[in-house]
Amino acid sequence: MLAIEGLGHRYPGAARPALDGVSMQAARGGVVGLLGPNGAGKTTLISHLSGALAVQTGRVLIDGEPLQAVRRRAPTRIAVAPQEHAFYPMLTVEENLACFAAAARLPRARRGERVAACMDFAQLGAFAATRAERLSGGLKRRLNLAIALLAQPELLLFDEPTVGVDPQTRAFVLEAIQALAAGGAAVIYASHYMEEIEAIADRVVIIDGGRVVRDGTLEALLSEGPTVLTLRADGLDAALLARHGEAERDGALWRLRLAEGVRAVEVLAALEASGVRVRHADFGRQNLEQLFMALTHHPLRDA
């Protein structure tokens, strides 16, 4: 559905572009996880797709048609659930939904039906008469979601929707996004929470410094690179691990990317022979954080 080709953007006075030749795609029925540290360009990319920023260089196509033309003809085909609260605090939940349904130019005969359906989907029925400013943080996120769904958009953009929410709300939002994709929507989910991307994404695009550094299915990305052996042990240092692969320390843990041909059992036997007491060990494929570290050499949550 969505094709982004060589998208570039530089803010006035900026030393470097916020987006530098970004290309990616999103299909109906799938979730694309947009992953990167703060300042990587995720929000700038979402702003282009939502119409908040005009395209400077490159192209954005919806079903082969330029984004600008699609937004002029049918702006509600694309919706965004932003990180910030985007509703009227003095209005009730139901009043907010009715207001945004009218703003989306839904036919009057459909407005009540869509308000009820979105309130039900976001599980806000019990709070229909509650003013939005009195909702908890988690319920405000649900109201953002309900508003975004009013016009039944085909492309949904989520920009860090779980920042600062409780675990219950986070789980609800992630399950809701999976349900929307299963219903045929194309979803782009921007986050720097790797565990969320791993939980819901079919495809992952990792960006850093305004550039795409990896783009592929979740399974393909996680299977890249060597097996990783994670250790907690007494008397362990980098020199003991260096002969078996590439080692790095993360607090009390050591992560060893095994060299080609090296087996985890051989490493454990060698450490035992050297007098190292291994208290914990596991091995398997790398996760997204480890992949990102290997690509950029800094943590995903860097500001």
Side-chain angles (χ1 to χ4, degrees), residues 6 18 31 38 66 73 77 80 83 145 154-155 171 177 183 207 211-212 225 229-230 251 254 266 271 276 294:
V31 178
N38 293 331
R73 187 180 68 255
R77 287 183 67 186
V80 60
Q83 183 179 149
L145 174 62
E154 299 170 55
L155 174 62
I177 289 170
I207 65 173
R211 296 183 177 184
V212 174
L229 176 62
T230 303
W254 286 89
E266 296 169 352
L271 293 178
V276 173

Side-chain angles (χ1 to χ4, degrees), residues 10 21 79 102 105 126 146 184 198 215-216 256 281:
R10 187 190 295 268
R105 299 182 180 178
E198 289 192 58
D215 180 359
L256 176 66

Side-chain angles (χ1 to χ4, degrees), residues 48-134:
H48 277 84
L49 300 179
S50 66
L53 286 176
V55 174
Q56 292 179 350
T57 59
R59 298 196 304 170
V60 181
L61 305 175
I62 303 293
D63 290 328
E65 188 178 2
L67 174 66
Q68 301 94 315
V70 171
R71 291 196 61 82
R72 281 195 300 269
R73 187 180 68 255
T76 57
R77 287 183 67 186
I78 303 168
V80 60
Q83 183 179 149
E84 299 80 13
H85 298 144
F87 46 74
Y88 295 102
M90 296 297 291
L91 298 182
T92 68
V93 166
E94 189 169 16
E95 288 169 345
N96 264 289
L97 289 169
C99 177
F100 282 97
R105 299 182 180 178
L106 294 182
R108 188 176 297 274
R110 287 189 60 218
R111 291 179 193 173
E113 171 196 337
R114 291 304 302 153
V115 166
C118 293
M119 194 152 38
D120 181 62
F121 182 84
Q123 298 180 17
L124 289 170
F127 306 94
T130 302
R131 286 195 346 206
E133 63 184 354
R134 296 179 179 171

Side-chain angles (χ1 to χ4, degrees), residues 25 31-33 197-198 201-206 214-224 285 288 291:
Q25 297 182 345
V31 178
V32 175
I197 299 295
E198 289 192 58
D202 309 294
R203 190 171 192 88
V204 177
V205 176
I206 301 176
R214 268 302 184 277
D215 180 359
T217 65
L218 179 62
E219 182 65 27
L221 291 182
L222 292 181
S223 64
E224 282 186 15
R285 64 185 186 179
L288 284 175
L291 173 61

Side-chain angles (χ1 to χ4, degrees), residues 158-169:
F158 291 90
D159 186 13
E160 306 279 7
T162 62
V163 171
V165 304
D166 58 276
Q168 183 178 7
T169 298

